[in-house]
Amino acid sequence: MSPLRLDVTIVGSGIGGLAAATCLAQSGHKVHVIEAGNELSEVGAGIQISPNALRILDSMGLKDIFYKEGTKNDDALLRRYKDGKILGKLRSNPLALYDYHNLTLHRADYQKILYDAAWKAGASISFGKKVVSIDTSTPSLTLQDGAIIRSDLIVAADGIGSRIRSAMFPDIQAHATPDCAFRIILTREQMLSNPALSHLVLQPSCTVWFGPYRHIVAYTIRQLELFNIVLCGPGTADTGVWNEPADLDELKKEYADYDDTVKELLGVAKECHKWRISELPDLPSWRNGNGRLVLLGDAAHAMTPYMAQGATQAIEDAAVLSGCLAKAQSLKDISRLTQAYEDIRKTRAEKIKATSYGNMKQYGLLDGPEQEARDEMYSKNLLPLPENTKEMVVSKPDMNAVYGSPGFSSWVFTYDTNQALREYFGEGEERSKM
């Protein structure tokens, strides 16, 4: 428990905001979440939860419920776009390497688990509370109903379009990439009715197709009841508009040269939605001048989905922020501790964001030498694990290694927020607890 009980307001009830609410409330702080919407609402459907997130969720006492509600999809099978040839595996053997499974989950289920956890920990959550103006210096928030909120700390977890971030940095806005995401959800019944697709829902499965300028990620969620498909590539969609209807016939034409499984998936689909993929430039800071207003999750580092790390980075933010504030002895400590939060988190999150953006090219390489080298790297993941796997691989994390290599994967998935806190504050300090 934190030695000082802080009054914390969190803006936004998405995954990052609710994770922060849970961590901070479990540490003994008085936490209030305000949400502009009238109810919980999570855009999208499928989401992946990697071991670096599960390590934190386990420390919050939530591993069992996530293992129950999620689907253990430990290996993503990589296939060539034209003929479906197996190229290799991505994120293979996570339990053996990183101590936790890789899960796929419905976003709404993820959010509901965190909502329940935050509530159980003592956080209050209010809906229909829209922020209309921000004093970034005090700081304080003015709501649409006229209420003014002042707290020891305000956490802006209000997403890529953050009103609070815009008040802090009015000249910095999220920018659109050339890509759109096209999302399709199929039921188990739809999949089983097609002999070419039924094998994909008989057991947990995750498949990625690499093709020129495009790639597809498809996996089971809600155990085996739903099949989530996301097709990423060039497209037209309005920036900031979520779940815009997409033209299935046009999509079929764009993927006409893909292997038969892809064409069957598109043939079974009845509807598709799309959105423009955007990201946020690196910010000068994640905090205001006195350190009592901080950004978290997409509000601080919105990224493309090409590492499946967006929500997980928000989870890491929440754990580190909570760990830093656990060291507060007085209100005067807040400024240095939110600076510590930024110091610990900013470089890592921005490196992952940059790598994710780079994967837009790597996943969509044209046929040729670069594509062949990429496929050769992933083919090595088809080999059996050596007995001394952890000593050979996990002990050598390297943030500057090539994406998909053992060193880079270790840097991403072995991340331990408590270790990061100990390294920052010094081994002599008592270990921070959530």
Side-chain angles (χ1 to χ4, degrees):
M1 298 291 286
S2 174
L4 178 67
R5 189 173 193 239
L6 299 174
D7 184 354
V8 182
T9 296
I10 298 172
V11 182
S13 67
I15 288 170
L18 292 172
T22 304
C23 289
L24 291 166
Q26 287 182 346
S27 286
H29 300 295
K30 181 182 178 182
V31 180
H32 185 45
V33 180
I34 58 172
E35 165 60 44
N38 293 321
E39 60 184 0
L40 282 181
S41 177
E42 185 59 71
V43 175
I47 190 168
Q48 300 183 55
I49 309 179
S50 53
N52 45 322
L54 280 162
R55 188 169 295 108
I56 296 166
L57 296 169
D58 188 8
S59 73
M60 295 161 66
L62 301 176
K63 184 185 81 169
D64 289 346
I65 184 65
F66 273 101
Y67 274 12
K68 177 184 176 184
E69 298 296 329
T71 304
K72 295 173 183 174
N73 263 318
D74 282 346
D75 296 312
L77 199 61
L78 305 178
R79 293 185 178 272
R80 181 166 166 77
Y81 73 105
K82 272 197 171 182
D83 54 11
K85 175 187 174 183
I86 295 175
L87 303 174
K89 290 182 179 180
L90 187 63
R91 298 184 301 275
S92 57
N93 304 297
L95 186 62
L97 292 172
Y98 315 121
D99 301 322
Y100 294 93
H101 290 285
N102 193 75
L103 302 183
T104 52
L105 194 71
H106 197 292
R107 280 180 173 268
D109 298 340
Y110 198 162
Q111 188 183 33
K112 183 60 165 59
I113 291 171
L114 291 175
Y115 174 87
D116 291 343
W119 188 266
K120 181 179 179 181
S124 63
I125 304 169
S126 300
F127 296 97
K129 301 295 183 181
K130 183 178 181 180
V131 175
V132 293
S133 68
I134 303 101
D135 178 347
T136 60
S137 59
T138 308
S140 66
L141 307 173
T142 301
L143 305 186
Q144 193 171 44
D145 61 11
I148 297 176
I149 294 177
R150 297 182 180 88
S151 298
D152 297 330
L153 178 69
I154 295 174
V155 180
D158 50 343
I160 188 171
S162 171
R163 180 184 291 268
I164 296 174
R165 185 193 65 242
S166 294
M168 294 170 65
F169 306 108
D171 296 330
I172 301 177
Q173 301 297 327
H175 60 254
T177 73
D179 276 8
C180 289
F182 299 83
R183 191 202 71 217
I184 296 169
I185 297 289
L186 300 178
T187 66
R188 178 177 173 83
E189 289 72 23
Q190 286 176 296
M191 297 289 288
L192 290 175
S193 68
N194 188 313
L197 303 177
S198 59
H199 67 284
L200 294 172
V201 293
L202 294 178
Q203 59 186 5
S205 72
C206 181
T207 307
V208 179
W209 286 267
F210 285 157
Y213 301 116
R214 294 178 171 83
H215 76 281
I216 303 169
V217 181
Y219 49 78
T220 47
I221 57 175
R222 287 195 171 153
Q223 303 305 327
L224 305 176
E225 294 305 309
L226 295 175
F227 197 69
N228 182 73
I229 308 158
V230 181
L231 306 94
C232 295
T236 57
D238 293 331
T239 301
V241 178
W242 304 100
N243 289 336
E244 183 181 343
D247 187 333
L248 264 175
D249 290 332
E250 185 63 30
L251 209 57
K252 291 174 185 177
K253 292 177 184 177
E254 292 176 1
Y255 289 88
D257 60 345
Y258 272 61
D259 94 82
D260 289 344
T261 301
V262 172
K263 287 183 276 193
E264 291 289 342
L265 288 169
L266 292 174
V268 170
K270 302 299 182 185
E271 62 178 2
C272 177
H273 294 87
K274 65 180 179 179
W275 61 90
R276 172 69 62 187
I277 294 174
S278 301
E279 73 159 18
L280 188 66
D282 292 350
L283 299 175
S285 177
W286 290 4
R287 56 200 288 278
N288 73 333
N290 65 12
R292 293 177 64 173
L293 169 62
V294 297
L295 304 174
L296 182 144
D298 280 356
H301 49 71
M303 61 187 67
T304 63
Y306 302 135
M307 274 185 65
Q309 281 290 306
T312 290
Q313 289 309 296
I315 298 288
E316 290 184 3
D317 291 348
V320 170
L321 179 62
S322 179
C324 288
L325 294 176
K327 298 181 178 295
Q329 301 290 329
S330 73
L331 293 180
K332 292 180 181 179
D333 291 333
I334 293 175
S335 182
R336 74 173 180 88
L337 293 173
T338 56
Q339 182 63 61
Y341 157 69
E342 179 178 313
D343 290 345
I344 295 169
R345 290 294 308 144
K346 195 169 185 287
T347 298
R348 175 176 166 86
E350 289 175 353
K351 170 64 175 180
I352 287 175
K353 176 163 67 76
T355 304
S356 183
Y357 188 86
N359 282 352
M360 181 167 58
K361 176 184 176 183
Q362 191 199 48
Y363 288 178
L365 289 173
L366 297 175
D367 289 347
E370 282 188 285
Q371 164 260 319
E372 291 171 358
R374 176 200 66 194
D375 296 351
E376 172 64 22
M377 179 182 68
Y378 285 121
S379 70
K380 295 175 182 178
N381 291 334
L382 294 172
L383 300 174
L385 284 174
E387 290 185 5
N388 58 342
T389 296
K390 288 197 173 185
E391 289 73 13
M392 288 179 59
V393 178
V394 180
S395 62
K396 300 177 182 178
D398 183 357
M399 70 179 288
N400 295 312
V402 175
Y403 174 78
S405 66
F408 190 82
S409 297
S410 295
W411 177 74
V412 174
F413 301 129
T414 64
Y415 186 70
D416 184 328
T417 54
N418 281 319
Q419 178 65 25
L421 288 160
R422 289 196 299 273
E423 290 175 357
Y424 184 87
F425 288 105
E427 293 291 342
E429 288 208 19
E430 181 182 353
R431 177 173 178 170
S432 299
K433 296 185 183 295
M434 288 184 236

